[in-house]
Amino acid sequence: VTARPIRIGIAGVGKIARDQHIPSIAANPAYRLTAACSRHAQVKGVETFRDIEQMLAGAAELDAVAICTPPQMHYQAAKAALLKGKHVLLEKPPCTSLAEFDHLVQLAQKAGRTLYQTWHSQHADAVAPAAVLLQSRRLKRARVAWKEDVRRWHPGQAWIWEAGGFGILDPGINAISILTRLFDEALLPRSVTLFVPANCQTPIAAEITLETGGGAEIQMELDFRHTGTQTWDILLETDAEPITLSSGGALLSLGDAPVPTASGDLHGEYRSIYRRFAELVARGQSEADARPMRLVADIFLMGKRIPVEPFIE
Ligand code: NAP
């Protein structure tokens, strides 16, 4: 942790900025929220600019910027901040192409600033202990069910249906980021079906089969049309007891028995992200992991598209 608080600005004040970033910054004495930019919202107690350029010009004292806009705007915002010598915390999905991803990594290196490209689900409580359990077990097969109600979690978010908006792969990339954290070995898409509403550019549901380097199959069922109980589960069948991660990776069980996790905190992902960002800034390091993004790019590259009924919010 640096000696004085990191003066941080938030770019894009939507759902995730309000639900997670602003409270996590407020809870961590390593930061002082110093500015924000949004076309519509105001953040209480700090100067709010119209866009990132105006924020970078008007709040020159900023040390860092957290990019919380839709993914289509991540690259330009992160680039502008790095070129002004700011450290950058980047929401997932990091950007809309691997070329943008690579360029941001290069820009951070050149600028000598921290780029922390985050995968919040990797911070969920059960993920690290599940990775340890897997080290002494062989995976036989896995099933991922990521089924949520888009109207509840992405209200009014037209960007998610536009090109570069990822559709169901916006939450789906969270599950994939857990898989890449659990498995060092190769993960290869083998069959992919994307269900695309007639009035949208991105899928509302997907059925994906991945194969691990060791030959095990991972079946993924992703669906944004799911109402009722929301499901973010990963079931790993192994040569010993099955391992289950549920609630997006917050809860762990081995066989039928729940395994207590370190913090027992269902919502600690963003607190952990902000602790890590302060560490990286203090050490002058960056962290960017392209594996989840590469896998999703492959999924879009090889997916069969099936048209489905239009999505009307
Ligand atoms: P959101 O509610 O739509 O908020 C994004 C904000 O970005 C908007 O409020 C908007 O604020 C600003 N923005 C700037 N330029 C924009 C443009 N051209 N079009 C639309 N908005 C623009 O989205 P979100 O859910 O917070 O998601 C933001 C990022 O966080 C995404 O990358 C998403 O994947 C990630 N994320 C979301 C969740 C979640 O549960 N929703 C969870 C984890 C991560 P102004 O209109 O005021 O400028």
Side-chain angles (χ1 to χ4, degrees), residues 11-21 37-41 50 67-71 73-74 91-93 120 153-160 162 170 174 270:
V13 184
K15 184 164 176 16
I16 202 63
R18 279 192 297 270
D19 289 357
Q20 299 291 347
H21 290 261
C37 63
S38 164
R39 296 164 308 171
H40 308 98
R50 216 188 125 66
I67 314 275
C68 304
T69 57
M73 291 98 220
H74 283 183
E91 254 300 350
K92 52 62 61 172
H120 67 83
W153 300 102
H154 297 276
Q157 296 182 2
W159 58 264
I160 214 159
E162 290 161 8
D170 176 276
N174 300 334
Y270 281 82

Side-chain angles (χ1 to χ4, degrees), residues 5-13 17-18 20-37 42-49 55 59 61-68 274:
I6 297 167
R7 291 162 299 192
I8 191 163
I10 289 188
V13 184
R18 279 192 297 270
Q20 299 291 347
H21 290 261
I22 292 170
S24 299
I25 291 168
N28 189 329
Y31 297 93
R32 194 166 76 235
L33 183 62
T34 303
C37 63
Q42 283 291 324
V43 178
K44 225 173 123 202
V46 301
E47 191 169 3
T48 309
F49 298 87
M55 180 170 81
E61 72 276 22
L62 286 176
D63 302 303
V65 177
I67 314 275
C68 304
Y274 275 92

Side-chain angles (χ1 to χ4, degrees), residues 128-198:
V132 172
L133 287 173
L134 272 169
Q135 279 167 9
S136 54
R137 292 166 169 81
R138 191 178 59 79
L139 182 74
K140 283 165 54 178
R141 69 184 72 79
R143 261 184 294 134
V144 176
W146 228 249
K147 298 181 187 183
E148 63 177 60
D149 182 354
V150 68
R151 291 176 176 87
R152 180 162 157 200
W153 300 102
H154 297 276
Q157 296 182 2
W159 58 264
I160 214 159
W161 304 113
E162 290 161 8
F166 291 77
I168 187 62
L169 270 309
D170 176 276
I173 204 169
N174 300 334
I176 287 170
S177 73
I178 294 178
L179 294 177
T180 59
R181 171 74 179 76
L182 293 178
F183 300 106
D184 286 336
E185 59 183 323
L187 291 173
L188 307 121
R190 278 291 166 247
S191 101
V192 178
T193 308
L194 303 172
F195 300 91
V196 185

Side-chain angles (χ1 to χ4, degrees), residues 9 17 22 46 74 90-91 93 113 116 135 154 164 168-169 176 188-189 253 255 268-269 271 286-287 290 301 304 313:
I22 292 170
V46 301
H74 283 183
L90 187 58
E91 254 300 350
R113 291 295 180 271
Y116 182 28
Q135 279 167 9
H154 297 276
I168 187 62
L169 270 309
I176 287 170
L188 307 121
S253 54
E269 296 172 22
R271 304 277 204 256
S286 283
E287 196 169 287
L301 196 58
K304 262 189 238 153
E313 190 171 358

Side-chain angles (χ1 to χ4, degrees), residues 91-283:
E91 254 300 350
K92 52 62 61 172
C95 27
T96 55
S97 71
L98 289 162
E100 288 181 350
F101 187 105
D102 292 345
H103 194 213
L104 290 179
V105 171
Q106 284 171 17
L107 285 170
Q109 262 165 14
K110 257 198 212 154
R113 291 295 180 271
T114 294
L115 171 65
Y116 182 28
Q117 177 272 312
T118 61
W119 296 113
H120 67 83
S121 292
Q122 293 185 347
H123 294 258
D125 249 8
V127 177
V132 172
L133 287 173
L134 272 169
Q135 279 167 9
S136 54
R137 292 166 169 81
R138 191 178 59 79
L139 182 74
K140 283 165 54 178
R141 69 184 72 79
R143 261 184 294 134
V144 176
W146 228 249
K147 298 181 187 183
E148 63 177 60
D149 182 354
V150 68
R151 291 176 176 87
R152 180 162 157 200
W153 300 102
H154 297 276
Q157 296 182 2
W159 58 264
I160 214 159
W161 304 113
E162 290 161 8
F166 291 77
I168 187 62
L169 270 309
D170 176 276
I173 204 169
N174 300 334
I176 287 170
S177 73
I178 294 178
L179 294 177
T180 59
R181 171 74 179 76
L182 293 178
F183 300 106
D184 286 336
E185 59 183 323
L187 291 173
L188 307 121
R190 278 291 166 247
S191 101
V192 178
T193 308
L194 303 172
F195 300 91
V196 185
N199 59 343
C200 299
Q201 295 294 319
T202 56
I204 196 163
E207 286 168 5
I208 299 165
T209 306
L210 304 175
E211 192 182 303
T212 67
E217 242 186 33
I218 304 177
Q219 283 188 344
M220 304 187 70
E221 215 185 322
L222 314 177
D223 205 329
F224 250 160
R225 299 163 300 190
H226 190 75
T227 53
T229 308
Q230 306 287 285
T231 305
W232 300 281
D233 292 344
I234 300 177
L235 171 66
L236 306 162
E237 288 178 39
T238 72
D239 53 0
E241 314 92 315
I243 300 167
T244 308
L245 295 92
S246 53
S247 296
L251 300 174
L252 181 64
S253 54
L254 192 55
D256 292 329
V259 178
T261 50
S263 77
D265 183 356
L266 267 180
H267 308 288
E269 296 172 22
Y270 281 82
R271 304 277 204 256
S272 165
I273 281 177
Y274 275 92
R275 283 195 297 274
R276 180 73 183 138
F277 187 42
E279 265 171 31
L280 291 169
V281 168
R283 293 181 194 161

